Amino acid sequence: MRRILLLGGTGNFGTHIARRLAGDPNIQLLIAGRSRAKAESAAARLKAVNPAEGHEMDMAGDLAAAFAAARPDLVIHTVGPFQGQPYRVAEAAIAAGAHYLDLADARAFVTGIDALDERARAAGVAVISGASSVPCLSAAIIDAFRPRFGALSSVDYGISTAAQGISGLATATAILSYVGRPIRQWRAGAWRVTHGWQGLHGETYPELGRRLFGDCDIPDLDLFPARYEGLQTVRFGAGHELALIHLGTWALSWPVRAHLFPGLDRIARFLLAAARLLDPIGTGRSGLHMILGGTDEAGAPKTIRFYLIARQGHGPYIPCVPAILLASRFAAGRAFTPGARPCLDLITLDEYLAALADLDVSTFVLENEDRRH
């Protein structure tokens, strides 16, 4: 039986991961949070096959000692925002001889994780960062459709959140941290500077209609130009179901860009509360799209559009899938390869979508349709 520690196990992502793993007879869950009472209460509510434990753990405290006492085989780190966060959790996991996964989508955090590679290999453990929608799912989509191209030259994609499934404070803070700030992106075969939540553009989804997007900073922007030979453009955008919220954030990006305001992450709690007042007019439907462009084997232009639509507020569960799948595999006896790396080449698109089968999620694929966006 594997002891799996969920750091942030009482939060949105941690709670969902715990529910999905609670029925696995090969897993004993350790629910960790800042409050022992809340952690123990969350552990008791799980009614897990193997009774879960509640642990009090402070991110600013002595994590090495806490991990040594808890004796985890695997640590799953869900406590964001990861922007600007050091590698204290991963380092403590290595010291405890435990494998490590995180749900980070912070560019520098995920792309810099190989700094721990030598230490992880020496300890015989895996340190995997970005076990989330990006770069795990985004890379899986490209890998699934790339064989249909003779040459792949561009990927243009985005995630649009639902009003009723709006993210928690940590996720909102992470997004707001780069609104109005410079972002280095690979465009037309060269590095160019854009700004967070600017580059306003839209995409029309099946079922959802038109959603707005703005440029955002994610690990893929560094990882994909190096990973996919011949790729000339990588653009990622984030957006909100309600145009009012999206355009309001876009308007607020300009004072940040002009250095008139230090950053929207400083008022994330207020902005999140304001956005939640509009929940009643939302639909609870979120979406992900990816437009892959290039040529076929004969050199003719080719475009594939992939859409994923989540209903009933199920969108926030999608980033949890990699951690759930990898933890389940580990508990079933599938070994991790030691070393530190981003979460790439570990989960296929088919495996990812199969894990969403019990959610209200659909996918659509359109090939060579000329659509304005």
Side-chain angles (χ1 to χ4, degrees), residues 2 40 60 144 209 218 278 298 313 319 351 356:
R2 302 292 191 175
E40 290 178 344
I218 59 170
L278 299 176
E351 290 169 332
L356 298 173

Side-chain angles (χ1 to χ4, degrees), residues 99-110:
H99 299 289
Y100 165 93
L101 300 172
D102 67 47
L103 275 65
D105 62 0
R107 184 173 183 171
F109 189 97
V110 176

Side-chain angles (χ1 to χ4, degrees), residues 42-260:
R45 287 196 305 271
L46 278 175
K47 295 183 171 54
V49 172
N50 298 305
E53 298 176 2
H55 290 261
E56 179 181 354
M57 291 188 186
D58 185 347
M59 286 279 291
D62 189 346
L63 289 175
F67 289 178
R71 297 176 290 108
D73 297 300
L74 168 65
V75 175
I76 301 177
H77 180 15
T78 73
V79 184
F82 288 89
Q83 281 78 1
Q85 198 178 125
Y87 294 126
R88 294 185 68 249
V89 178
E91 290 169 341
I94 293 171
H99 299 289
Y100 165 93
L101 300 172
D102 67 47
L103 275 65
D105 62 0
R107 184 173 183 171
F109 189 97
V110 176
T111 59
I113 198 69
D114 58 0
L116 301 180
D117 187 62
E118 186 175 342
R119 291 166 61 181
R121 290 177 184 274
V125 299
V127 172
I128 300 170
S129 187
S132 188
S133 300
V134 293
C136 182
L137 174 57
S138 50
I141 296 170
I142 297 174
D143 293 344
F145 291 105
R146 191 183 183 197
R148 300 192 191 182
F149 289 85
L152 178 66
S153 59
S154 67
V155 289
D156 184 349
Y157 57 118
I159 296 174
S160 175
T161 59
Q164 295 173 5
I166 201 163
S167 53
L169 180 60
T171 303
T173 301
I175 294 170
L176 293 170
S177 70
Y178 47 74
V179 170
R181 291 179 172 151
I183 298 174
R184 184 169 171 263
Q185 294 203 21
W186 185 244
R187 300 281 182 88
W191 290 107
R192 305 179 189 277
V193 174
T194 63
H195 289 80
W197 218 261
Q198 298 191 357
L200 189 65
H201 59 284
E203 175 63 22
T204 301
Y205 282 72
E207 186 178 322
L208 302 185
R210 191 166 180 79
R211 294 282 179 98
L212 296 176
F213 294 88
D215 292 338
C216 281
D217 204 20
I218 59 170
D220 307 23
L221 301 178
D222 279 329
L223 296 173
F224 288 0
R227 177 178 173 83
Y228 300 107
E229 184 179 359
L231 198 58
Q232 297 296 301
T233 294
V234 181
R235 179 170 73 165
F236 174 80
H240 196 278
E241 172 187 1
L242 301 178
L244 177 62
I245 294 177
H246 187 96
L247 291 173
T249 308
W250 171 80
L252 290 171
S253 72
W254 291 96
V256 177
R257 178 174 176 174
H259 305 289
L260 300 176

Side-chain angles (χ1 to χ4, degrees), residues 283-323:
T283 66
R285 297 184 298 177
S286 54
L288 176 153
H289 73 276
M290 180 176 285
I291 306 166
L292 301 98
T295 57
D296 62 18
E297 294 292 346
K302 184 180 183 69
T303 302
I304 294 178
R305 282 178 163 84
F306 173 88
Y307 299 93
L308 184 151
I309 295 171
R311 309 171 191 86
Q312 301 185 60
H314 288 176
Y317 300 148
I318 294 172
C320 301
V321 166

Side-chain angles (χ1 to χ4, degrees), residues 346-361:
L346 297 177
I347 297 170
T348 68
L349 179 59
D350 286 344
E351 290 169 332
Y352 209 114
L353 296 180
L356 298 173
D358 61 341
L359 301 178
D360 192 358
V361 172

